[in-house]
Amino acid sequence: MSWPFLAVLFSGWLYIDAAYRGPNWQRWLFRPITLLLLLLWAWQVPEHNINSYLIVGALLATLLSDILRIFDGKYLLPSLALVFLSYILYMVSFLLPLQLTFYLPLLGFVIVAFIIVLAIVWTKLDKLAIPASLTLLAAFAMFWIAGEKFFYLSNDYNLSVMIGSLLLVIAYSIWLINRFRFSFSASKGLVSACYFIGHFFIVRALFL
């Protein structure tokens, strides 16, 4: 196993453990530390290009979003805006160079899944209906682009970013449902695992 994977795994586990039974300082500390480790790993790419810079920018936006979430929802709107920005940066990175085909089963899955998740939480979003919905749309669009590139090119890079973006969509969808519709104890572990591993797969793609 590579040291970045072990470092992210250990730091992410400390965060998940703190989310359930640890002190708040441990939770506040290890979530941004895990993202910082991923950011530093992404910066170590032997040769940077526009794609790698966009991924680094997305990780930085995610890190800033996580820092804002420390304040218990006080800055939820700016945090969502940064998550939206990170998904857009990821999506543009996956899109370049522009080589796409329309794989209808994937497009149909994305549309149906987006509608289902939005329908579950829509009536509970209240004032956050627009930003939360746009962020969800950006997440599914990011996954769709990654999936289209994989089905078009079928290489290891695109497989890694497709898996990573799918995990990020799952993480955000579970977070939305848990926060706005109904909460369940397993959500923290599921969201955190999908969140950290999703970013890991995207950064990993830079080294393939």
Side-chain angles (χ1 to χ4, degrees):
M1 293 185 181
S2 62
W3 73 261
F5 176 75
L6 293 174
V8 170
L9 179 65
F10 181 67
S11 181
W13 171 252
L14 288 174
Y15 168 78
I16 295 172
D17 179 68
Y20 283 103
R21 59 180 185 177
N24 283 334
W25 68 264
Q26 184 178 329
R27 177 168 54 88
W28 295 337
L29 181 64
F30 282 100
R31 186 177 176 104
I33 281 181
T34 307
L35 263 296
L36 184 59
L37 288 170
L38 287 166
L39 183 60
L40 292 175
W41 184 32
W43 192 251
Q44 293 178 5
V45 173
E47 186 175 345
H48 281 281
N49 53 33
I50 184 63
N51 298 78
S52 63
Y53 284 125
L54 287 167
I55 288 175
V56 167
L59 287 168
L60 182 58
T62 304
L63 176 61
L64 293 174
S65 173
D66 282 352
I67 292 173
L68 290 178
R69 289 192 186 188
I70 292 174
F71 299 98
D72 294 328
K74 185 178 180 181
Y75 299 105
L76 184 57
L77 185 58
S79 177
L80 279 175
L82 287 166
V83 173
F84 173 83
L85 175 61
S86 73
Y87 292 156
I88 294 298
L89 291 174
Y90 274 147
M91 182 177 66
V92 175
S93 172
F94 304 159
L95 189 62
L96 299 175
L98 186 59
Q99 296 171 308
L100 279 180
T101 184
F102 286 92
Y103 184 57
L104 293 181
L106 175 65
L107 181 59
F109 168 77
V110 167
I111 293 172
V112 170
F114 170 76
I115 292 172
I116 289 173
V117 175
L118 188 61
I120 291 172
V121 300
W122 177 255
T123 58
K124 298 292 185 178
L125 292 176
D126 197 23
K127 294 180 180 180
L128 291 174
I130 299 302
S133 301
L134 287 176
T135 305
L136 183 66
L137 179 61
F140 274 100
M142 170 191 66
F143 166 64
W144 174 65
I145 293 296
E148 289 288 351
K149 291 297 284 286
F150 171 71
F151 287 110
Y152 181 74
L153 297 173
S154 298
N155 56 32
D156 290 339
Y157 174 89
N158 289 298
L159 176 61
S160 191
V161 298
M162 183 181 70
I163 293 171
S165 59
L166 176 59
L167 289 171
L168 292 184
V169 169
I170 293 171
Y172 182 67
S173 299
I174 294 175
W175 178 83
L176 274 180
I177 293 170
N178 178 73
R179 182 177 180 88
F180 294 102
R181 174 55 66 178
F182 52 83
S183 61
F184 52 102
S185 59
S187 65
K188 293 179 181 178
L190 289 172
V191 169
S192 300
C194 292
Y195 178 81
F196 292 134
I197 297 173
H199 286 295
F200 174 85
F201 267 96
I202 293 172
V203 176
R204 170 183 173 271
L206 295 175
F207 294 87
L208 297 177

